[in-house]
Amino acid sequence: MRRDIFTEEHEAFRDLVREFLAREVTPFHAQWEKDKVVPREIWLKAGRAGLLGIDVDEKYGGGGNPDYRYYAIMDEETGRAGATGLGFFVHNDMIGQYLLRLCTPEQKERWLPGYCSGELITAIAMTEPGAGSDLQGIRTTAVRDGDYYILNGQKTFITNGQLADLVIVVARTDPEAGHRGISLLVVERGMPGFERGRNLDKIGMHAQDTSELFFTDVRVPAANLLGEEGGGFVGLMQNLPRERVTIGVYALAVAEQAYEDTLRYAKERTAFGQPIGSFQHNKFKIAELVTSIEVAEAYVDDCIEAHAEGRLSAVDAAKAKWWSAQVQNDVLDECVQLHGGYGFMNEYRVARAWRDARVTKIWAGSNEIMKELIGRDLGL
Ligand SMILES: Cc1cc2nc3c(=O)[nH]c(=O)nc-3n(C[C@H](O)[C@H](O)[C@H](O)COP(=O)(O)OP(=O)(O)OC[C@H]3O[C@@H](n4cnc5c(N)ncnc54)[C@H](O)[C@@H]3O)c2cc1C
């Protein structure tokens, strides 16, 4: 089905991203999966190519272009390339939005140039060993002491955790104030008491440095408070539509690539003297795959447009997130099946995509949490 949300300029940008990924990422990604981390150099290259901070003001080295569709294209192409090691979507679609919305002019001067050039890699640390979905259950504390906050706590599953130079840490500044007692503090590489734990051993997304982080009496300058004290929860909620639609965009792009790979394979691979795609069961399966992707894509495209125009609701974005994550996982499972034994081999893109896809139903708010939010919105 023809998509009509992108212009010629958008498509020219897509070509640039594709070319960047083909030249700088794809040939090296298998090695990065073994290393369990990408080199810092790829962040600098992305910065030089104008792929970081597209919506940041040009005076800080950004692209000065607020149109969300450019980021959507980046997420699609990264997904299609299977470049799971690139934590750019966390940097661009999550952290950048917090920085743009919440930074003081002084903080913007300090952080945005490095953010756009790739010299300052970012992460966001919400999840703790004892609290993920239930963010209000976090135990990390930040106690004001003059011009500093004393930060203590532990985070886990943090994307870009080994590489990050700036970490937005979600901490409790007032234990009595419920969600109004949660604040955002920017912890910088090298602050005494900030330690990185293990680069976690995952079942997929192997090139991504997902880590534990530890904070022991870290003296964080009050000048590193992001937004108002006690305003952290609201700050997090404001970015939810963006984060959720981004996961939807990414998930469907991965599914689409796997479907295309599978269609090609089903025409080439023969069994019992005929292409496997010509067996009616397989033909129907492939027809189902393309239908489910295109129908989901129409909804997500609507969400992309709505977000670009600033009118996407958190609930509609929740629908896009859980549905796309489910479609992605269902499609990939069928694609692996249609590849037979080759679908289980890591050298096949479809196998890697199947393994990497599982997390989409879990992170950025699990699919159950998305349904909980939708149900609540229905008055249930
Ligand atoms: C690879 C990876 C990268 C990540 N990156 C980051 C990151 O950069 N920063 C960050 O802060 N976090 C990150 N996370 C954490 C992720 O957001 C959490 O894992 C997720 O929110 C779920 O939290 P949890 O693991 O504590 O599960 P839990 O909250 O313990 O949930 C366990 C199960 O119970 C279900 N459940 C929980 N509450 C309800 C409810 N009310 N109703 C119905 N079901 C419910 C969940 O859906 C899930 O199935 C990452 C996770 C992974 C795996």
Side-chain angles (χ1 to χ4, degrees), residues 262-280:
T262 303
L263 177 61
R264 205 175 313 114
Y265 187 80
K267 288 178 178 172
E268 286 166 5
R269 176 78 177 172
T270 55
F272 301 97
Q274 63 187 89
I276 58 155
S278 66
F279 297 120
Q280 191 188 46

Side-chain angles (χ1 to χ4, degrees), residues 14 20 72 74 82 108 117 133 137 147 245 250 272 283 311 337:
R14 187 188 296 282
F20 176 85
M74 261 195 76
K108 285 186 176 169
S117 69
S133 306
D147 288 340
V245 70
Y250 185 87
F272 301 97
K283 193 189 299 177
R311 55 180 173 80
Q337 191 67 19

